[in-house]
Amino acid sequence: MNYNKSIAAFTEAQKSIPGGVNSPVRSFRNVGGNPLFIAKASGSKITDIDGNEFIDYVGSWGPMILGHTHPAVVEAIQKTAALGASFGAPTLLETEMAELIKELVPSVASVRMVNSGTEATMSALRLARGYTGRDLVIKFEGCYHGHNDSFLIAAGSGALTYGIPDTPGVTKGTARDTLTAQFNDLASVEQLFEKHKNEIAAVILEPVTGNMGVIIPEKEFMEGIRKLCTEAKTVLIFDEVMTGFRLSKGGAQEILGITPDLTTFGKIIGGGLPVGAYGGKQEIMDQLAPKGPVYQAGTLSGNPLAMAAGLTTLRLLKNTENFYQKLEEKSALLEEGLRNNLNELGFDGVINRVGSMFTLFFTKEKNVKSFADVMKSDTRLFTNYFKLSLDSGIYLAPSQYEAGFVSAAHSIEDIEKTVKASYMALKTIKN
Ligand SMILES: *Cc1c(COP(=O)(O)O)cnc(C)c1O
């Protein structure tokens, strides 16, 4: 494939945008390549400015569960835009959105819209602190919750890939209030609770991780955290920005059978437009201004275009028969094909998958259950695999520490083509 136009575009972009990108994970820096500049997308395919077409497993990093440019979503955005892009006053769409989220996610009694996942987790943490009157938060190594100061500590993919677990610019004071524990290691959480009794405002985690690659939580780990939080009156926050409406209608909490106190959303609820939300127990949400004392605001929050795109997406997820079952079947087919390839060609690897979220870790480990396991992956092998996949028309996230996403628009033919391309890539690496 020829990437000449993207290469020229990246050179040009670097003259006026830091690093040439508006989010570091887009840069391909870790795989030693040049990011592709995208011209358009449709269904399961994206097309770059050189005219190359790829089967897309990034899906805008999660939101595009229906595939790109779903006609109903496009129409909703166009129709709403014609009525006005923003008013700074309530609209009916916002109540419809809140009611639909409540219906799909029963742990949410009340929900506030914001403009990104970052804003959602930042606001949820402030609310948890305001509600409990405590300062400390526990997060897990490798979990990413957006680029808030409080969470940029041992923080997942972007930070992992680029080696800035503690970014410059976060004050020592802020860093001191964030405690880190190990995913799937309940003892590491118990120790923090013992040491900081009655000081912990919140525990936040990705209930199924995506930002260090997909890791599945163990039952005792999740149940243990829920119990610790309940006993200590600590607010349990599930960051479902990625998993919400992705793993099931009710998100990870539905499939795990664990009820958090607060949940953060993003990605899919915006249908591709910038949206975030946080919601949960009534008595906690009642602390928010104007009803309560905890301040949080947003000029463009609940933006009509974003609400229209998100509502249309959520309604399609809700009303399409067997939506998640079909996604599961296609994703299982992909997993099976990839695993057969590894076995047949003698590669060591672990494929972690929950529904339409998956990661192929190149590793000699038998399981990948923790951040420490993730870090044993062979990133050089991944880089080769990534480049060869791209050259054969498969667009994967440019990092070993990411989740891939299957959308409703991926066809069986797409999956078969992907498995074949993966086989060829592995075969080339082997030779
Ligand atoms: C993407 C993501 C965020 C951040 O969302 P932005 O919209 O990029 O700010 C937070 N938490 C999780 C789990 C995410 O996957």
Side-chain angles (χ1 to χ4, degrees):
M1 282 198 196
N2 178 332
Y3 305 119
N4 289 341
K5 286 186 180 163
S6 278
I7 291 167
F10 190 46
T11 303
E12 191 63 24
Q14 287 176 86
K15 292 178 194 162
S16 42
I17 302 173
V21 287
N22 280 315
S23 190
V25 294
R26 296 178 195 168
S27 80
F28 280 36
R29 196 161 156 192
N30 191 53
V31 290
N34 188 101
L36 300 189
F37 282 61
I38 304 304
K40 60 180 182 178
S42 176
S44 62
K45 314 269 175 34
I46 57 168
T47 305
D48 69 11
I49 58 174
D50 285 285
N52 304 307
E53 191 181 83
F54 304 88
I55 301 172
D56 179 23
Y57 288 96
V58 176
S60 189
W61 301 88
M64 312 317 294
I65 193 166
L66 298 174
H68 295 279
T69 53
H70 188 288
V73 177
V74 173
E75 191 192 337
I77 295 171
Q78 286 172 338
K79 278 196 169 156
T80 310
L83 301 174
S86 176
F87 314 112
T91 60
L92 296 175
L93 289 172
E94 293 161 81
T95 312
E96 284 175 42
M97 175 62 105
E99 286 174 350
L100 186 54
I101 294 172
K102 281 173 60 171
E103 181 192 331
L104 296 176
V105 188
S107 72
V108 173
S110 174
V111 58
R112 175 62 67 78
M113 304 307 301
V114 291
N115 303 293
S116 68
T118 294
E119 235 187 282
T121 58
M122 175 186 78
S123 308
L125 177 59
R126 182 184 306 137
L127 176 58
R129 284 172 165 159
Y131 172 73
T132 57
R134 303 170 182 173
D135 290 347
L136 300 180
V137 57
I138 295 179
K139 79 174 285 291
F140 292 83
E141 210 178 352
C143 280
Y144 179 68
H145 305 295
H147 66 91
N148 308 293
D149 288 1
S150 295
F151 300 134
L152 276 182
I153 291 152
S157 53
L160 283 182
T161 306
Y162 299 100
I164 37 171
D166 291 308
T167 171
V170 174
T171 66
K172 289 190 194 76
T174 298
R176 249 197 315 269
D177 287 335
T178 301
L179 310 171
T180 43
Q182 309 304 317
F183 200 83
N184 272 335
D185 178 358
L186 186 58
S188 72
V189 191
E190 285 168 345
Q191 279 162 18
L192 292 175
F193 268 91
E194 263 162 46
K195 193 160 168 221
H196 300 278
K197 236 178 171 195
N198 305 323
E199 292 176 86
I200 302 166
V203 172
I204 187 168
L205 76 166
E206 299 179 67
V208 170
T209 80
N211 289 290
M212 54 175 149
V214 174
I215 295 185
I216 301 157
E218 285 167 353
K219 197 162 182 275
E220 311 79 69
F221 172 69
M222 273 305 194
E223 286 174 351
I225 289 176
R226 178 62 276 182
K227 192 155 166 274
L228 283 170
C229 286
T230 304
E231 285 167 2
K233 296 191 164 56
T234 291
V235 177
L236 176 58
I237 306 172
F238 272 11
D239 182 357
E240 297 230 40
V241 169
M242 188 183 287
T243 53
F245 315 107
R246 163 64 61 183
L247 300 185
S248 73
K249 275 179 214 162
Q253 55 196 268
E254 180 178 309
I255 60 172
L256 297 172
I258 303 276
T259 306
D261 302 307
L262 292 179
T263 304
T264 54
F265 301 99
K267 300 194 169 117
I268 288 175
I269 44 165
L273 272 71
V275 182
Y278 63 110
K281 275 191 181 155
Q282 192 74 52
E283 69 164 298
I284 304 179
M285 295 305 289
D286 281 350
Q287 294 297 308
L288 279 177
K291 197 167 184 187
V294 178
Y295 194 72
Q296 182 271 313
T299 301
L300 294 174
S301 293
N303 173 264
L305 302 192
M307 292 303 98
L311 267 172
T312 306
T313 300
L314 295 189
R315 285 186 181 133
L316 279 162
L317 301 181
K318 182 187 149 197
N319 298 329
T320 307
E321 216 175 316
N322 300 326
F323 182 88
Y324 290 94
Q325 195 189 317
K326 281 186 218 151
L327 263 185
E328 166 65 29
E329 285 164 12
K330 277 188 284 191
S331 308
L333 198 65
L334 178 63
E335 178 187 350
E336 189 190 309
L338 295 177
R339 183 165 288 123
N340 287 343
N341 290 345
L342 293 174
N343 291 340
E344 202 169 312
L345 293 167
F347 279 85
D348 295 316
V350 169
I351 302 170
N352 281 350
R353 181 182 69 83
V354 181
S356 56
M357 259 170 79
F358 67 95
T359 301
L360 161 54
F361 294 100
F362 288 103
T363 180
K364 292 197 188 326
E365 298 295 299
K366 287 280 160 287
N367 295 295
V368 177
K369 297 197 293 190
S370 68
F371 176 73
D373 293 341
V374 167
M375 294 317 281
K376 289 177 193 155
S377 306
D378 184 342
T379 52
R380 246 189 51 198
L381 183 51
F382 173 83
T383 297
N384 286 336
Y385 179 75
F386 168 82
K387 285 182 175 164
L388 290 162
S389 297
L390 196 67
D391 285 339
S392 53
I394 310 297
Y395 190 80
L396 301 171
S399 164
Q400 168 72 93
Y401 315 125
E402 295 286 358
F405 301 100
V406 178
S407 80
H410 285 76
S411 63
I412 299 292
E413 198 192 337
D414 287 332
I415 303 290
E416 285 170 351
K417 216 173 141 191
T418 306
V419 170
K420 206 174 268 176
S422 160
Y423 183 89
M424 294 312 292
L426 292 173
K427 199 154 180 231
T428 304
I429 291 169
K430 200 175 174 192
N431 292 335

